[in-house]
């Protein structure tokens, strides 16, 4: 990148795992200390840590605009990649 060369996008979302911070937030939700978790991180780590629903969505979530159903997948939903929208 420093030489002006674009590097390929190599993040494998299925390989990511929640950190202790994600797990701590999930525990606070479970204990009723937090009513909501609002985050712009769409990597799916909140969901993997046990938080049942995120306002922003995740890289593992699909939404049907026709019927309004929300689907959580086990694999990354590539159509929702931010770099596809901001490239």
């Amino acid at each position: 990148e420093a030489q002006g060369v674009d590097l390929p996008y190599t993040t494998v979302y299925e390989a990511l795992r929640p950190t202790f911070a994600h797990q701590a937030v999930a525990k606070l939700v479970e204990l009723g200390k937090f009513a909501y978790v609002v985050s712009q991180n769409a990597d799916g780590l909140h969901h993997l840590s046990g938080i049942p629903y995120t306002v922003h969505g995740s890289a593992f979530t699909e939404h049907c605009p026709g019927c309004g159903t929300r689907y959580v997948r086990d694999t990354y939903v590539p159509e929702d990649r931010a770099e596809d929208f901001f490239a």
Side-chain angles (χ1 to χ4, degrees):
E1 288 180 331
Q3 290 86 26
V5 177
D6 286 334
L7 298 177
Y9 189 81
T10 59
T11 300
V12 178
Y13 282 90
E14 292 87 352
L16 299 176
R17 293 293 168 255
T19 65
F20 290 120
H22 291 100
Q23 294 170 352
V25 171
K27 187 64 173 180
L28 290 168
V29 170
E30 178 186 320
L31 294 172
K33 302 294 183 181
F34 288 171
Y36 303 99
V37 175
V38 179
S39 170
Q40 289 192 354
N41 294 325
D43 53 21
L45 295 177
H46 288 304
H47 174 74
L48 290 174
S49 68
I51 296 171
Y53 184 80
T54 56
V55 173
H56 188 271
S58 87
F60 294 86
T61 303
E62 289 181 296
H63 177 262
C64 175
C67 69
T69 303
R70 183 176 162 269
Y71 300 94
V72 178
R73 306 292 187 198
D74 291 332
T75 57
Y76 179 60
V77 180
E79 293 81 23
D80 197 27
R81 291 181 11 175
E83 65 271 14
D84 290 340
F85 297 102
F86 298 110

